[in-house]
Amino acid sequence: MKKLLAIFAAGLLFTACNQTNQSEKAGVDVAAVKTIELHVTGMTCEGCENTVMKAVNQLEGVTESTASHVKELTVVSYDTTLTNTEAITAAIEKVGYTVEGPAMKQEPVE
């Protein structure tokens, strides 16, 4: 059992060490990276979140993305010289979800 766990741990370590940082993609201008928050509806589960992130990450210039069906929020960091909000919105809508615009910032209640 210990040997099996050791093999599993080594595999995880190898995988983690061999993943490339998205910001190291060829042609990305780190100084031009912007992060946007979009209000996305229609996501109902983690599978939906993964679908949205996969669609967005395929765009040239996207360096990172996250999605939350609970918060109806998708956060995308991208190189503004390679893509834009319209392309990101189109990619999300192409896979079946609705972008209702920028996420609204909630002010803290005093």
Side-chain angles (χ1 to χ4, degrees):
M1 182 68 162
K2 287 182 181 180
K3 185 175 184 179
L4 182 61
L5 287 174
I7 293 170
F8 178 72
L12 285 177
L13 182 61
F14 177 79
T15 302
C17 291
N18 286 307
Q19 291 182 352
T20 57
N21 184 340
Q22 292 285 356
S23 64
E24 295 173 359
K25 284 184 176 178
V28 171
D29 179 1
V30 177
V33 172
K34 175 182 175 182
T35 300
I36 58 168
E37 295 182 352
L38 299 171
H39 180 206
V40 179
T41 59
M43 296 185 291
T44 59
C45 64
E46 291 176 5
C48 297
E49 295 169 355
N50 290 331
T51 298
V52 168
M53 289 187 298
K54 182 177 178 182
V56 170
N57 287 337
Q58 290 177 350
L59 295 172
E60 182 180 12
V62 171
T63 59
E64 185 177 6
S65 70
T66 61
S68 169
H69 72 281
V70 174
K71 296 180 182 180
E72 295 186 334
L73 179 69
T74 299
V75 180
V76 182
S77 296
Y78 64 99
D79 181 339
T80 58
T81 66
L82 298 173
T83 195
N84 55 45
T85 304
E86 292 78 17
I88 294 167
T89 298
I92 294 169
E93 290 179 345
K94 184 176 180 179
V95 293
Y97 303 95
T98 302
V99 178
E100 295 189 354
M104 301 301 290
K105 300 273 187 192
Q106 292 188 3
E107 298 297 323
V109 178
E110 294 184 35

